[in-house]
Amino acid sequence: MPNRELVVLGTASQAPTRIRNHNGYLLRWDAEGLLFDPGEGTQRQMLFAGVTASQITRICITHFHGDHCLGLPGVLARISLDRVAHPVEIYYPAANEPVFQHLRHAALYRDAADLRARPVREAGTLASTPAFRIEARPLAHSVPTFGYRLAEPDGRRMLPDKLLALGIAGPDVGRLKQRGELVAGGRRVTVEQVSQPRPGQRFAFIMDTGLCDAAFELADRADMLVCESTFAGADAALAREWGHLTAAQAGRIAAESQARLLVLTHFSQRYDREGSQRMAGEAASVFGGDVVLAHDLARIPVPLRQSSPAQPATQPGT
Ligand SMILES: [Zn+2]
């Protein structure tokens, strides 16, 4: 099982259908689990997908339309019921604090969860860990909405053949990485001589928005871009009216931002399976990278780093 993957819990916008639950996505990233936009029914979809409440370390809410947040009360109650011991940080638009408070206290139960509210006021970095930095940018929708982005710090990948050639092995490799240089066989060796740059992996999450600069900034060189694709091109007027993207616009964001894998989701109920298949084609007509049409309970691995295809995508700092 890859250590970095998107578990799709639901893919419907506005109203669920027989084949689509409301939105919901768990991004598994090493030891963390980031739950994005838990719509109604998320708790049960987690069960079907094999996701437990204890896997959730952070919750990111783009905005407070029902299809993006009505599952929050159930998920929070479940975190409490399961006695999840670690803290869970929750990011959401600060402008709608009263809505968050309603959802946070929507039912009566013995509250045992360590929940830490982190209202988002403006574009910027929300958290930094050795594995990633989380950033938010305001999007262009009918209510306050933020898109999110995870960026792993850039690092360097050690090259075993070069280390071998210079006789550097065992604990010396760690010393070299730590200090940046080492004397081996009477010669000074720098870390640059025996490694190559390894760009950090990037993930972007763009929901309900019209085309805007922030969408392109969030998607910049994303290895995986999860993007709303509410409407097909034939319904572009509706997309404009309601502050949404068409599939082709999602493709354009991916193309111009040099994203690698585009995951389309958040489909209007007006499209059946075939209708959403056509949307994948519309996105692919403008984006040369991989396009995946999300479906409920799919597990989509974050693509391996481009510069080091032989390396598992699970070793930050190596
Ligand atoms: Zn919305």
Side-chain angles (χ1 to χ4, degrees):
M1 192 163 63
N3 282 354
R4 292 182 183 178
E5 65 174 356
L6 183 77
V7 184
V8 179
L9 301 169
T11 54
S13 73
Q14 203 172 47
T17 72
R18 285 170 183 270
I19 58 164
R20 299 189 183 285
N21 196 77
H22 264 157
N23 267 300
Y25 313 85
L26 183 86
L27 177 69
R28 293 185 51 248
W29 192 280
D30 305 339
E32 295 229 21
L34 295 96
L35 179 66
F36 288 88
D37 282 1
E40 217 177 316
T42 293
Q43 186 182 175
R44 191 144 189 265
Q45 291 293 94
M46 284 166 54
L47 189 72
F48 287 130
V51 170
T52 63
S54 62
Q55 284 178 274
I56 301 169
T57 56
R58 299 172 201 265
I59 299 174
C60 302
I61 292 175
T62 59
H63 67 299
F64 285 108
H65 277 152
D67 48 334
H68 298 261
C69 68
L70 283 176
L72 185 65
V75 169
L76 298 183
R78 186 57 185 270
I79 288 171
S80 195
L81 181 73
D82 288 0
R83 295 286 189 269
V84 171
H86 58 250
V88 175
E89 302 210 342
I90 311 177
Y91 310 99
Y92 57 89
N96 295 121
E97 180 68 32
V99 184
F100 173 73
Q101 290 302 331
H102 283 309
L103 295 167
R104 170 74 185 85
H105 303 288
L108 305 178
Y109 55 92
R110 191 170 293 177
D111 198 344
D114 182 358
L115 302 175
R116 302 186 183 178
R118 300 281 187 258
V120 182
R121 291 188 169 74
E122 57 193 6
T125 300
L126 308 176
S128 256
T129 78
F132 56 70
R133 198 173 62 243
I134 307 180
E135 297 167 9
R137 297 259 192 296
L139 293 169
H141 195 39
S142 54
V143 299
T145 302
F146 284 92
Y148 296 95
R149 159 188 178 83
L150 252 75
E152 179 187 34
D154 293 337
R156 298 195 70 87
R157 187 170 78 88
M158 304 304 273
L159 300 168
D161 51 341
K162 297 210 167 170
L163 290 168
L164 191 68
L166 292 164
I168 302 170
D172 278 347
V173 178
R175 276 182 212 119
L176 176 57
K177 276 162 71 176
Q178 203 179 2
R179 297 175 193 163
E181 62 178 48
L182 191 81
V183 176
R187 288 174 51 189
R188 178 175 164 270
V189 178
T190 65
V191 76
E192 286 77 16
Q193 287 173 271
V194 292
S195 65
Q196 65 183 29
R198 188 222 57 192
Q201 280 183 307
R202 296 177 178 193
F203 168 87
F205 188 81
I206 298 174
M207 284 293 130
D208 301 22
T209 186
L211 270 184
C212 60
D213 290 348
F216 291 89
E217 289 162 17
L218 289 162
D220 181 43
R221 286 173 291 147
D223 295 280
M224 177 186 277
L225 164 60
V226 178
C227 192
E228 74 124 314
S229 164
T230 313
F231 293 106
D235 297 313
L238 285 175
R240 253 194 316 279
E241 183 183 350
W242 294 103
H244 280 294
L245 296 170
T246 63
Q249 287 174 325
R252 186 181 147 195
I253 293 170
E256 292 186 19
S257 307
Q258 299 179 330
R260 292 174 62 207
L261 170 64
L262 170 62
V263 178
L264 296 178
T265 186
H266 192 272
F267 305 110
S268 163
Q269 71 204 51
R270 75 194 64 230
Y271 308 115
D272 56 12
R273 269 200 187 92
E274 278 174 20
S276 41
Q277 279 296 344
R278 278 197 296 276
M279 291 163 89
E282 291 179 11
S285 69
V286 288
F287 174 53
D290 294 327
V291 179
V292 169
L293 212 56
H295 62 86
D296 289 25
L297 309 182
R299 285 175 176 261
I300 307 170
V302 177
L304 294 181
R305 297 181 187 94
Q306 232 162 359
S307 62
S308 52
Q311 283 284 99
T314 55
Q315 299 176 3
T318 58

